[in-house]
Amino acid sequence: ETGVTQSPTHLIKTRGQQVTLRCSSQSGHNTVSWYQQALGQGPQFIFQYYREEENGRGNFPPRFSGLQFPNYSSELNVNALELDDSALYLCASSPKGRQGATYEQYFGPGTRLTVT
Amino acid sequence: ELKVEQNPLFLSMQEGKNYTIYCNYSTTSDRLYWYRQDPGKSLESLFVLLSNGAVKQEGRLMASLDTKARLSTLHITAAVHDLSATYFCVRQGAQKLVFGQGTRLTINP
């Protein structure tokens, strides 16, 4: 069974640029969540995708957007990068059963984004 | 709004000693997790606690849940250096996980 994978592992961008981060969910999982973890802090929920639709969003501006594909992999896009966007971005997948039921989330290795 | 608070945030202890990390949360929810994170690494799930009175143990770590007090504890017995890491208490929200601030644990020889 393949776990959650993310790419790239590290990325350096300049302020104002755009970035796309990718996540492949664990086999059998149809839900993907994205989290931002700034240095020394706990992860913060960005949004969740379930069956290709956004299924909840945290307190992040619209320049953070996402996609989920039919194979349940996902992308996180960030436009107009700011210095404060420097963080570890974590993707987590989970199976989702009956309406509203959420199960344990399994985290990928993360993408370290540095904005200069 | 679901909030999770851990204490202490920093803990330095000697090998062989016992200690407890406390986690308080603001509202009831489905489940509580404890995760471990090593520097620069991702999150490793340690325990999932589903109901009041739940207690789980793995090696030198034991986690418990008291839903009436809205309190979870992570107890470390006879600490060893390999347990040095940051530990997060996490509550399950409707879609999202809500993390505590994390407890950075350093175990000295």
Side-chain angles (χ1 to χ4, degrees):
Chain A
E1 182 178 273
T2 305
V4 180
T5 61
Q6 292 185 242
S7 63
T9 54
H10 296 86
L11 201 52
I12 300 174
K13 288 286 190 178
T14 303
R15 189 171 52 182
Q17 286 187 316
Q18 177 266 342
V19 69
T20 298
L21 310 181
R22 295 178 175 83
C23 171
S24 292
S25 60
Q26 186 166 319
S27 177
H29 290 185
N30 55 17
T31 301
V32 173
S33 304
W34 286 91
Y35 294 82
Q36 180 197 64
Q37 185 178 20
L39 194 62
Q41 298 183 20
Q44 298 291 315
F45 175 71
I46 303 174
F47 43 57
Q48 182 182 86
Y49 277 84
Y50 170 58
R51 291 187 176 178
E52 302 179 55
E53 292 190 359
E54 189 177 289
N55 184 47
R57 187 179 184 93
N59 189 26
F60 281 81
R63 60 189 185 84
F64 285 78
S65 63
L67 285 173
Q68 187 179 31
F69 300 98
N71 66 354
Y72 303 129
S73 65
S74 177
E75 288 183 353
L76 164 64
N77 299 290
V78 187
N79 293 322
L81 283 167
E82 301 177 359
L83 296 179
D84 285 349
D85 295 334
S86 295
L88 180 67
Y89 288 85
L90 294 163
C91 164
S93 75
S94 61
K96 194 172 182 72
R98 66 186 186 278
Q99 185 67 27
T102 302
Y103 299 93
E104 184 173 357
Q105 298 185 18
Y106 296 82
F107 284 85
T111 294
R112 173 75 61 187
L113 173 64
T114 302
V115 182
T116 62
Chain B
E1 182 184 346
L2 181 57
K3 293 184 179 180
V4 179
E5 294 188 350
Q6 292 179 232
N7 75 85
L9 300 184
F10 297 92
L11 178 56
S12 180
M13 52 192 294
Q14 286 186 314
E15 280 190 329
K17 301 291 187 182
N18 304 331
Y19 210 82
T20 301
I21 300 170
Y22 297 89
C23 171
N24 291 93
Y25 53 93
S26 59
T27 60
T28 57
S29 65
D30 284 344
R31 54 185 65 189
L32 183 137
Y33 305 92
W34 285 94
Y35 282 88
R36 168 181 171 150
Q37 187 175 40
D38 292 301
K41 303 294 185 181
S42 189
L43 296 156
E44 174 189 358
S45 177
L46 296 174
F47 300 108
V48 181
L49 302 170
L50 300 177
S51 60
N52 187 46
V55 177
K56 290 196 174 180
Q57 183 164 4
E58 181 70 35
R60 301 174 187 274
L61 300 177
M62 182 174 71
S64 66
L65 179 62
D66 181 345
T67 58
K68 294 180 181 178
R70 296 179 182 168
L71 171 70
S72 180
T73 61
L74 180 66
H75 185 74
I76 302 144
T77 302
V80 293
H81 179 70
D82 286 352
L83 292 178
S84 295
T86 298
Y87 292 86
F88 289 98
C89 172
V90 185
R91 285 297 272 177
Q92 177 79 60
Q95 294 92 19
K96 63 182 180 182
L97 299 179
V98 179
F99 285 75
Q101 311 98 308
T103 297
R104 185 177 297 179
L105 174 63
T106 303
I107 299 169
N108 305 303

